[in-house]
Amino acid sequence: QVQLVESGGGLVQAGGSLRLSCAASGRTASSYAMGWFRQAPGKEREFVAHIRWSGSNTYYADSVKGRFTISSDNAKNTVYLQMNSLKPEDTAVYYCAAGKIIIKTMTPTYWGQGTQVTVSS
């Protein structure tokens, strides 16, 4: 089992920044790749970014490329999502996930509880 706990969400004005954190625990946590997904009201959950614990490979959705950065701190078993130049359309519940990556597609196995990000215009 892998447990994921997100933090760092909140309310920010358009153009602002937020950093989300995801602390992973569990005996097999390091064997999974990590990622972030988001779900806006009335929409399906969508992929945002993923990373391998080695940090050597990252991948982003086109909608966040150049604005968001995913990173990992292996010593802390924590993954971060730095979000800059936020837009109102980034408003969503953001979920941390642990899973497998095949080519560039991540299939989550475990989910965090989610953290709300609200961007005001």
Side-chain angles (χ1 to χ4, degrees), residues 26-73:
R27 197 161 52 89
T28 61
S30 61
S31 66
Y32 291 91
M34 300 295 294
W36 290 94
F37 290 71
R38 67 186 182 185
Q39 187 167 18
K43 295 188 177 181
E44 292 188 354
R45 193 171 298 188
E46 64 175 5
F47 166 76
V48 175
H50 64 56
I51 188 170
R52 299 184 187 276
W53 281 109
S54 65
S56 59
N57 295 100
T58 59
Y59 187 69
Y60 299 91
D62 287 343
S63 58
V64 307
K65 202 173 296 182
R67 299 187 299 122
F68 291 11
T69 302
I70 189 170
S71 61
S72 63
D73 184 333

Side-chain angles (χ1 to χ4, degrees), residues 3-23:
Q3 293 78 42
L4 305 172
V5 179
E6 302 104 330
S7 61
L11 173 64
V12 64
Q13 288 188 331
S17 298
L18 280 175
R19 188 177 80 156
L20 306 182
S21 300
C22 173

